[in-house]
Amino acid sequence: LHRRYGLWFRLRKLIIWLLGVYIAIPFLVKLCPAIQAKLVFLNFVRVPYFIDLKRPQDQGLNHTCNYYLQPEEDVTIGVWHTVPAALWKNARGKDQLWFEDALGSSHPVILYLHGNAGTRGGDHRVELYKVLSSLGYHVVTFDYRGWGDSIGSPSERGMTYDALHVFDWIKARSGDNPVYIWGHSLGTGVATNLVRRLCERETPPDALILESPFTNIREEARSHPFSIYRYFPGFDWFFLDPITTSGIKFANDENVKYISCSLLILHAEDDPVVPFHLGKKLYNIAATSRSFRDYKVQFVPFHTDLGYRHKYIYRSPELPRILR
């Protein structure tokens, strides 16, 4: 009986301790909004570990060159440029100058903006580069400031400016070749920020592709399946307001009202990270927007049975047809 009482006492003590931590976290987030910003960006999560981002060939990208660009003073970003598979043999052993000149070849270019966590060397990202390269695209991707081996502190403004700098860098070398913007997950927020800015200065891309997009970061945080606090009293005040205080909006739903180029949205019905209904809602907003009246807007869903979830749409055998 004494032993049983001691076990119950320790269990009760553990439960009280866990309950105290659970209640304390919202107050900690409210008092220190930077915590919430880190949870949005997850730039400190570097997966896969122990890879050398200077050597994309270690990830099976033998026709890829690693660059470093400087969008602003004290900011350096790591860039990968994968040429179309048709240029694979010519690319072997070539230097950065050859790769830059290759952007002027008669192949379209995709600027890929990845989501939070990980680096430009993430497994599913590398597989997508391979697919797009096999379809005849140049693929240019990079790690935002604060991600991977890129130097600087992450922010929505900084991420958008990094993307703008890389886009301009591409356009200065690609001649009349089409340039498309592809954003995935959090990268869709960067993509619409970028394309809205490009349209406002009358230099829009040839098309915008959004994979697993949300409407805005507040709705995504509220709908996120992993949010154990969504039913916590004052959830918006404790968790969502600090995101806004940190200057993080990623307002895709607002941005699409000012975008004037073709738009393709890809979303898997079984996406556990960005709920499917947010991608559909964003499409409905874009489809009725006056800014798209002269451009094609398309939504392509992928059935739950396919198992593409949040980051495996690149596996679809239909992707070449969809992109064409």
Side-chain angles (χ1 to χ4, degrees):
L1 187 64
H2 177 72
R3 205 177 301 159
R4 196 179 302 169
Y5 177 78
L7 181 64
W8 164 243
F9 177 77
R10 286 195 296 272
L11 182 61
R12 188 175 63 175
K13 191 175 179 180
L14 177 63
I15 292 172
I16 293 172
W17 183 82
L18 289 174
L19 185 62
V21 171
Y22 179 78
I23 294 172
I25 286 175
F27 290 94
L28 186 63
V29 169
K30 184 65 179 178
L31 291 171
C32 187
I35 294 175
Q36 189 70 325
K38 285 187 176 295
L39 293 176
V40 171
F41 296 138
L42 290 178
N43 59 301
F44 56 89
V45 179
R46 180 168 172 167
V47 180
Y49 296 98
F50 310 120
I51 70 168
D52 186 352
L53 292 171
K54 295 183 178 67
R55 293 178 51 82
Q57 59 268 31
D58 292 350
Q59 310 308 309
L61 295 171
N62 294 319
H63 49 315
T64 299
C65 187
N66 180 66
Y67 310 144
Y68 290 97
L69 302 179
Q70 191 169 16
E72 295 179 303
E73 190 177 355
D74 300 326
V75 174
T76 303
I77 56 174
V79 181
W80 280 0
H81 171 200
T82 302
V83 296
L87 302 178
W88 181 82
K89 289 183 178 179
N90 294 335
R92 296 177 68 179
K94 296 299 193 301
D95 59 10
Q96 178 175 334
L97 187 59
W98 183 90
F99 275 83
E100 289 189 36
D101 290 341
L103 284 169
S105 63
S106 57
H107 295 274
V109 184
I110 289 180
L111 170 57
Y112 178 77
L113 306 172
H114 68 66
N116 66 357
T119 68
R120 61 191 183 276
D123 293 340
H124 66 282
R125 294 162 187 164
V126 168
E127 293 306 313
L128 178 62
Y129 311 154
K130 292 176 181 177
V131 169
L132 296 177
S133 172
S134 71
L135 296 177
Y137 297 98
H138 289 276
V139 183
V140 177
T141 188
F142 66 96
D143 281 318
Y144 316 104
R145 61 187 71 189
W147 271 259
D149 58 354
S150 296
I151 298 169
S153 299
S155 67
E156 181 175 352
R157 186 208 68 83
M159 294 164 73
T160 303
Y161 190 80
D162 293 344
L164 177 63
H165 182 80
V166 177
F167 177 85
D168 288 340
W169 180 88
I170 292 170
K171 290 296 289 182
R173 292 157 178 78
S174 60
D176 295 329
N177 295 331
V179 178
Y180 309 115
I181 310 294
W182 184 313
H184 173 244
S185 192
L186 189 68
T188 63
V190 182
T192 63
N193 281 349
L194 169 62
V195 176
R196 175 177 176 176
R197 187 163 176 175
L198 293 175
C199 290
E200 287 173 346
R201 76 176 195 185
E202 299 182 354
T203 57
D206 292 273
L208 171 61
I209 302 159
L210 301 178
E211 179 189 359
S212 307
F214 48 84
T215 46
N216 58 69
I217 200 66
R218 288 179 71 99
E219 284 199 353
E220 160 58 7
R222 190 181 292 115
S223 305
H224 201 294
F226 301 151
S227 174
I228 61 173
Y229 286 99
R230 74 175 83 177
Y231 302 114
F232 192 90
F235 174 76
D236 284 22
W237 187 78
F238 278 112
F239 291 96
L240 302 187
D241 291 350
I243 296 178
T244 306
T245 301
S246 298
I248 303 172
K249 297 179 180 178
F250 292 116
N252 289 336
D253 49 356
E254 270 303 305
N255 288 337
V256 294
K257 298 174 184 177
Y258 300 91
I259 289 174
S260 302
C261 68
S262 296
L263 172 64
L264 170 65
I265 297 178
L266 310 171
H267 213 136
E269 292 177 354
D270 58 337
D271 190 329
V273 178
V274 180
F276 178 78
H277 72 86
L278 291 185
K280 187 67 174 177
K281 182 177 179 180
L282 181 65
Y283 165 74
N284 291 333
I285 293 170
T288 57
S289 173
R290 293 175 59 188
S291 67
F292 283 107
R293 62 180 178 272
D294 297 323
Y295 300 94
K296 185 174 183 179
V297 180
Q298 187 174 357
F299 181 84
V300 179
F302 295 87
H303 196 272
T304 300
D305 294 345
L306 296 170
Y308 294 156
R309 298 169 67 79
H310 184 59
K311 55 187 181 182
Y312 301 115
I313 286 176
Y314 72 83
R315 294 176 179 172
S316 172
E318 293 295 308
L319 195 57
R321 178 191 61 78
I322 292 166
L323 293 181
R324 276 198 300 272

